[in-house]
Amino acid sequence: LKAYHPLLIEGHSRDDRDPRAVGDQIIYNLRESRKERNITKPFILITQGDPLTERGISAITRHVSAELEIKRCLVTLDEEYDSTHSDLADRVDVVYELKFSQLLSMLNEKTDQIGSTLEEAIERKLALKNAKRAELGKDPMAAWAKTYAMLQEVTKVTMKKICGEVTVAHTTDSIHPCSVTSFYEVGMELNLIDKEDMVAF
């Protein structure tokens, strides 16, 4: 993996827009970012277990990887977190496959404990979001929100640790404040992901 520049695309699984149109805009943004940042390593697309659908994040990522002709690395949750996550994952063009627990152990090795720091920050962020929802008379976020926020943040932070660089592209500029994608703020607030690593839609 060190020979690659890891690319993560974050967005909603229920995105109803044309995945080709969304993907083409992301590709344009990525090419501009690549030139501006002078990225020399080939991209590898890091996906996080989304099952293939006609629309949504999995369709968008498949279009981007096909158009850029890049291979993919798949990260899935261990069975203790989600027993069907790995089985349902899209594996087209996947050349590396890792479990969430493997990435988490890399972040918690030695005295770094970065994974634990991320978890605590995500729990605080989740509590704030749920408090705002309660003020509006809404139910708390889904029970799985923390797990998938951890998957998202641990994946990108670990990939940056392994490769020394990372790109995170969003599929929209209108990120819902109570979506899993919105937890991208955590990695940035902890200075584990830089503003330069992010590619807006």
Side-chain angles (χ1 to χ4, degrees), residues 77-84 87 99:
L77 290 166
D78 302 77
E79 286 195 8
E80 64 187 271
Y81 298 103
D82 186 332
S83 60
T84 64
D87 292 341
K99 290 292 187 185

mmCIF file with all atom_site columns, all heavy atoms in Angstrom, residues 77-84 87 99:
data_model
loop_
_atom_site.group_PDB
_atom_site.id
_atom_site.type_symbol
_atom_site.label_atom_id
_atom_site.label_alt_id
_atom_site.label_comp_id
_atom_site.label_asym_id
_atom_site.label_entity_id
_atom_site.label_seq_id
_atom_site.pdbx_PDB_ins_code
_atom_site.Cartn_x
_atom_site.Cartn_y
_atom_site.Cartn_z
_atom_site.occupancy
_atom_site.B_iso_or_equiv
_atom_site.pdbx_formal_charge
_atom_site.auth_seq_id
_atom_site.auth_comp_id
_atom_site.auth_asym_id
_atom_site.auth_atom_id
_atom_site.pdbx_PDB_model_num
ATOM 1  N N   . LEU A 1 77 ? -16.021 -4.196  8.167  1.00 0.00 ? 77 LEU A N   1
ATOM 2  C CA  . LEU A 1 77 ? -16.166 -4.402  9.603  1.00 0.00 ? 77 LEU A CA  1
ATOM 3  C C   . LEU A 1 77 ? -16.022 -5.881  9.953  1.00 0.00 ? 77 LEU A C   1
ATOM 4  O O   . LEU A 1 77 ? -16.434 -6.754  9.181  1.00 0.00 ? 77 LEU A O   1
ATOM 5  C CB  . LEU A 1 77 ? -17.537 -3.911  10.069 1.00 0.00 ? 77 LEU A CB  1
ATOM 6  C CG  . LEU A 1 77 ? -17.761 -2.402  10.063 1.00 0.00 ? 77 LEU A CG  1
ATOM 7  C CD1 . LEU A 1 77 ? -19.243 -2.095  10.222 1.00 0.00 ? 77 LEU A CD1 1
ATOM 8  C CD2 . LEU A 1 77 ? -16.955 -1.733  11.166 1.00 0.00 ? 77 LEU A CD2 1
ATOM 9  N N   . ASP A 1 78 ? -15.465 -6.158  11.101 1.00 0.00 ? 78 ASP A N   1
ATOM 10 C CA  . ASP A 1 78 ? -15.413 -7.530  11.622 1.00 0.00 ? 78 ASP A CA  1
ATOM 11 C C   . ASP A 1 78 ? -16.836 -7.979  11.969 1.00 0.00 ? 78 ASP A C   1
ATOM 12 O O   . ASP A 1 78 ? -17.731 -7.153  12.199 1.00 0.00 ? 78 ASP A O   1
ATOM 13 C CB  . ASP A 1 78 ? -14.543 -7.580  12.881 1.00 0.00 ? 78 ASP A CB  1
ATOM 14 C CG  . ASP A 1 78 ? -13.135 -7.075  12.611 1.00 0.00 ? 78 ASP A CG  1
ATOM 15 O OD1 . ASP A 1 78 ? -12.957 -5.836  12.516 1.00 0.00 ? 78 ASP A OD1 1
ATOM 16 O OD2 . ASP A 1 78 ? -12.236 -7.890  12.473 1.00 0.00 ? 78 ASP A OD2 1
ATOM 17 N N   . GLU A 1 79 ? -17.029 -9.280  12.014 1.00 0.00 ? 79 GLU A N   1
ATOM 18 C CA  . GLU A 1 79 ? -18.367 -9.823  12.267 1.00 0.00 ? 79 GLU A CA  1
ATOM 19 C C   . GLU A 1 79 ? -18.957 -9.351  13.585 1.00 0.00 ? 79 GLU A C   1
ATOM 20 O O   . GLU A 1 79 ? -20.176 -9.230  13.713 1.00 0.00 ? 79 GLU A O   1
ATOM 21 C CB  . GLU A 1 79 ? -18.337 -11.350 12.219 1.00 0.00 ? 79 GLU A CB  1
ATOM 22 C CG  . GLU A 1 79 ? -18.215 -11.901 10.810 1.00 0.00 ? 79 GLU A CG  1
ATOM 23 C CD  . GLU A 1 79 ? -18.553 -13.377 10.732 1.00 0.00 ? 79 GLU A CD  1
ATOM 24 O OE1 . GLU A 1 79 ? -19.020 -13.930 11.752 1.00 0.00 ? 79 GLU A OE1 1
ATOM 25 O OE2 . GLU A 1 79 ? -18.362 -13.973 9.659  1.00 0.00 ? 79 GLU A OE2 1
ATOM 26 N N   . GLU A 1 80 ? -18.111 -9.082  14.562 1.00 0.00 ? 80 GLU A N   1
ATOM 27 C CA  . GLU A 1 80 ? -18.637 -8.658  15.862 1.00 0.00 ? 80 GLU A CA  1
ATOM 28 C C   . GLU A 1 80 ? -19.338 -7.298  15.783 1.00 0.00 ? 80 GLU A C   1
ATOM 29 O O   . GLU A 1 80 ? -20.167 -6.966  16.628 1.00 0.00 ? 80 GLU A O   1
ATOM 30 C CB  . GLU A 1 80 ? -17.513 -8.590  16.897 1.00 0.00 ? 80 GLU A CB  1
ATOM 31 C CG  . GLU A 1 80 ? -16.448 -7.554  16.579 1.00 0.00 ? 80 GLU A CG  1
ATOM 32 C CD  . GLU A 1 80 ? -15.267 -7.638  17.523 1.00 0.00 ? 80 GLU A CD  1
ATOM 33 O OE1 . GLU A 1 80 ? -15.309 -6.972  18.570 1.00 0.00 ? 80 GLU A OE1 1
ATOM 34 O OE2 . GLU A 1 80 ? -14.314 -8.359  17.200 1.00 0.00 ? 80 GLU A OE2 1
ATOM 35 N N   . TYR A 1 81 ? -19.007 -6.523  14.756 1.00 0.00 ? 81 TYR A N   1
ATOM 36 C CA  . TYR A 1 81 ? -19.641 -5.215  14.569 1.00 0.00 ? 81 TYR A CA  1
ATOM 37 C C   . TYR A 1 81 ? -20.840 -5.314  13.629 1.00 0.00 ? 81 TYR A C   1
ATOM 38 O O   . TYR A 1 81 ? -21.868 -4.657  13.851 1.00 0.00 ? 81 TYR A O   1
ATOM 39 C CB  . TYR A 1 81 ? -18.643 -4.211  13.991 1.00 0.00 ? 81 TYR A CB  1
ATOM 40 C CG  . TYR A 1 81 ? -17.463 -3.934  14.883 1.00 0.00 ? 81 TYR A CG  1
ATOM 41 C CD1 . TYR A 1 81 ? -16.219 -4.511  14.622 1.00 0.00 ? 81 TYR A CD1 1
ATOM 42 C CD2 . TYR A 1 81 ? -17.577 -3.095  15.995 1.00 0.00 ? 81 TYR A CD2 1
ATOM 43 C CE1 . TYR A 1 81 ? -15.126 -4.256  15.437 1.00 0.00 ? 81 TYR A CE1 1
ATOM 44 C CE2 . TYR A 1 81 ? -16.492 -2.839  16.817 1.00 0.00 ? 81 TYR A CE2 1
ATOM 45 C CZ  . TYR A 1 81 ? -15.266 -3.427  16.527 1.00 0.00 ? 81 TYR A CZ  1
ATOM 46 O OH  . TYR A 1 81 ? -14.185 -3.172  17.345 1.00 0.00 ? 81 TYR A OH  1
ATOM 47 N N   . ASP A 1 82 ? -20.709 -6.085  12.564 1.00 0.00 ? 82 ASP A N   1
ATOM 48 C CA  . ASP A 1 82 ? -21.778 -6.243  11.577 1.00 0.00 ? 82 ASP A CA  1
ATOM 49 C C   . ASP A 1 82 ? -21.541 -7.567  10.846 1.00 0.00 ? 82 ASP A C   1
ATOM 50 O O   . ASP A 1 82 ? -20.596 -7.690  10.068 1.00 0.00 ? 82 ASP A O   1
ATOM 51 C CB  . ASP A 1 82 ? -21.777 -5.071  10.592 1.00 0.00 ? 82 ASP A CB  1
ATOM 52 C CG  . ASP A 1 82 ? -22.959 -5.102  9.642  1.00 0.00 ? 82 ASP A CG  1
ATOM 53 O OD1 . ASP A 1 82 ? -23.473 -6.200  9.359  1.00 0.00 ? 82 ASP A OD1 1
ATOM 54 O OD2 . ASP A 1 82 ? -23.363 -4.028  9.162  1.00 0.00 ? 82 ASP A OD2 1
ATOM 55 N N   . SER A 1 83 ? -22.401 -8.532  11.076 1.00 0.00 ? 83 SER A N   1
ATOM 56 C CA  . SER A 1 83 ? -22.179 -9.888  10.559 1.00 0.00 ? 83 SER A CA  1
ATOM 57 C C   . SER A 1 83 ? -22.345 -10.000 9.050  1.00 0.00 ? 83 SER A C   1
ATOM 58 O O   . SER A 1 83 ? -21.885 -10.974 8.446  1.00 0.00 ? 83 SER A O   1
ATOM 59 C CB  . SER A 1 83 ? -23.136 -10.867 11.248 1.00 0.00 ? 83 SER A CB  1
ATOM 60 O OG  . SER A 1 83 ? -24.485 -10.503 10.995 1.00 0.00 ? 83 SER A OG  1
ATOM 61 N N   . THR A 1 84 ? -23.001 -9.023  8.407  1.00 0.00 ? 84 THR A N   1
ATOM 62 C CA  . THR A 1 84 ? -23.234 -9.105  6.957  1.00 0.00 ? 84 THR A CA  1
ATOM 63 C C   . THR A 1 84 ? -22.389 -8.117  6.155  1.00 0.00 ? 84 THR A C   1
ATOM 64 O O   . THR A 1 84 ? -22.410 -8.155  4.923  1.00 0.00 ? 84 THR A O   1
ATOM 65 C CB  . THR A 1 84 ? -24.717 -8.840  6.634  1.00 0.00 ? 84 THR A CB  1
ATOM 66 O OG1 . THR A 1 84 ? -25.060 -7.495  7.013  1.00 0.00 ? 84 THR A OG1 1
ATOM 67 C CG2 . THR A 1 84 ? -25.624 -9.818  7.375  1.00 0.00 ? 84 THR A CG2 1
ATOM 68 N N   . ASP A 1 87 ? -19.828 -9.749  3.691  1.00 0.00 ? 87 ASP A N   1
ATOM 69 C CA  . ASP A 1 87 ? -20.464 -10.585 2.673  1.00 0.00 ? 87 ASP A CA  1
ATOM 70 C C   . ASP A 1 87 ? -21.116 -9.767  1.564  1.00 0.00 ? 87 ASP A C   1
ATOM 71 O O   . ASP A 1 87 ? -21.134 -10.187 0.404  1.00 0.00 ? 87 ASP A O   1
ATOM 72 C CB  . ASP A 1 87 ? -21.534 -11.484 3.313  1.00 0.00 ? 87 ASP A CB  1
ATOM 73 C CG  . ASP A 1 87 ? -20.934 -12.538 4.235  1.00 0.00 ? 87 ASP A CG  1
ATOM 74 O OD1 . ASP A 1 87 ? -19.723 -12.807 4.107  1.00 0.00 ? 87 ASP A OD1 1
ATOM 75 O OD2 . ASP A 1 87 ? -21.665 -13.062 5.086  1.00 0.00 ? 87 ASP A OD2 1
ATOM 76 N N   . LYS A 1 99 ? -9.480  -5.790  7.461  1.00 0.00 ? 99 LYS A N   1
ATOM 77 C CA  . LYS A 1 99 ? -10.549 -5.677  8.439  1.00 0.00 ? 99 LYS A CA  1
ATOM 78 C C   . LYS A 1 99 ? -10.361 -4.410  9.279  1.00 0.00 ? 99 LYS A C   1
ATOM 79 O O   . LYS A 1 99 ? -9.241  -3.948  9.515  1.00 0.00 ? 99 LYS A O   1
ATOM 80 C CB  . LYS A 1 99 ? -10.564 -6.902  9.366  1.00 0.00 ? 99 LYS A CB  1
ATOM 81 C CG  . LYS A 1 99 ? -11.018 -8.190  8.699  1.00 0.00 ? 99 LYS A CG  1
ATOM 82 C CD  . LYS A 1 99 ? -12.486 -8.123  8.339  1.00 0.00 ? 99 LYS A CD  1
ATOM 83 C CE  . LYS A 1 99 ? -12.984 -9.473  7.817  1.00 0.00 ? 99 LYS A CE  1
ATOM 84 N NZ  . LYS A 1 99 ? -14.385 -9.384  7.359  1.00 0.00 ? 99 LYS A NZ  1
#
